[in-house]
Amino acid sequence: MPKVGMEPKRRAALVEATIAEIGAAGSLDVTVSQIARRAGMSSALAHHYFGGKDQIFVAAMRQILRDYSAEVRAELATAATPYDRAAAILRANFSQDCFAPSAVSAWMTFYAQAQTNPEAMRLLRLYQRRLRSNLTHALRDLTPKPKAGAEMLAALIDGLYIRAALTAPDADPLGQAMTLLSILTEAPHDQA
């Protein structure tokens, strides 16, 4: 007989193990057995809870997106002005948690998996829509073209993140993004 209340804990352990395994491998080249072993359970149990590697990975990306969302909300809670709101979104996107090796690997594989997995693509589109919506809202009183500014900043976030994560670990992507925000809104850079 299954232990009551264990399913949520085991699912969470499998999600955490998935992120760790992808981080260690640097790709999706991991097996359900490796994930299950890291979580301290059998691969049969992992398959029982998720069905397969793709479903476990999608669950891991949902968790990463929930963590990201919490980071954005925490930053936005301190924003008093529209400029502060835009800066808060940039800070959340370039937080240290986003650059943990396991998170970087998970995000990179998330983008790759979205090309072939409809559920991963749906999650990616939700993330992108929410990012653009938050940026558009923040920029509406700062620039005459807030949607265009949001598109530009969203593209910059993706580009700077990928560059810093993959080729320039000592780069200052937040500083670069804040400079562009200042140029876009004609605000002094030292407001950041």
Side-chain angles (χ1 to χ4, degrees):
M1 174 175 255
K3 293 181 182 179
V4 176
M6 288 304 292
E7 182 175 351
K9 291 177 184 176
R10 287 180 178 155
R11 282 179 170 271
L14 284 165
V15 165
E16 187 176 313
T18 301
I19 295 167
E21 280 297 318
I22 290 169
S27 72
L28 276 177
D29 193 23
V30 297
T31 65
V32 173
S33 294
Q34 289 170 306
I35 293 167
R37 189 175 6 209
R38 185 178 286 259
M41 61 188 82
S42 71
S43 61
L45 202 51
H47 282 286
H48 169 73
Y49 287 129
F50 289 101
K53 186 170 79 168
D54 282 349
Q55 291 85 357
I56 294 172
F57 185 68
V58 167
M61 282 318 305
R62 279 193 187 105
Q63 183 59 51
I64 286 173
L65 289 171
R66 277 191 294 273
D67 294 344
Y68 165 76
S69 180
E71 182 88 29
V72 171
R73 285 191 310 275
E75 286 289 343
L76 288 173
T78 66
T81 68
Y83 185 89
D84 292 344
R85 186 174 173 81
I89 295 165
L90 294 177
R91 282 193 306 275
N93 277 275
F94 295 110
S95 72
Q96 290 294 20
D97 290 343
C98 288
F99 286 96
S102 58
V104 169
S105 292
W107 274 103
M108 295 299 115
T109 54
F110 177 46
Y111 277 100
Q113 190 187 34
Q115 303 307 307
T116 59
N117 182 306
E119 183 61 16
M121 179 56 83
R122 187 184 75 74
L123 289 174
L124 179 60
R125 286 184 176 144
L126 285 171
Y127 153 73
Q128 291 171 333
R129 269 196 309 265
R130 174 57 76 179
L131 175 61
R132 285 178 180 88
S133 173
N134 282 336
L135 288 168
T136 299
H137 177 74
L139 295 173
R140 69 177 186 218
D141 294 330
L142 297 173
T143 182
K145 296 182 179 180
K147 283 187 178 185
E151 285 293 326
M152 186 185 319
L153 284 174
L156 177 79
I157 287 167
D158 286 343
L160 289 175
Y161 180 83
I162 291 169
R163 184 189 311 161
L166 298 179
T167 61
D170 296 332
D172 179 20
L174 177 58
Q176 293 170 322
M178 294 303 294
T179 298
L180 181 59
L181 175 61
S182 296
I183 293 167
L184 182 66
T185 63
E186 299 180 359
H189 180 62
D190 61 350
Q191 282 190 17

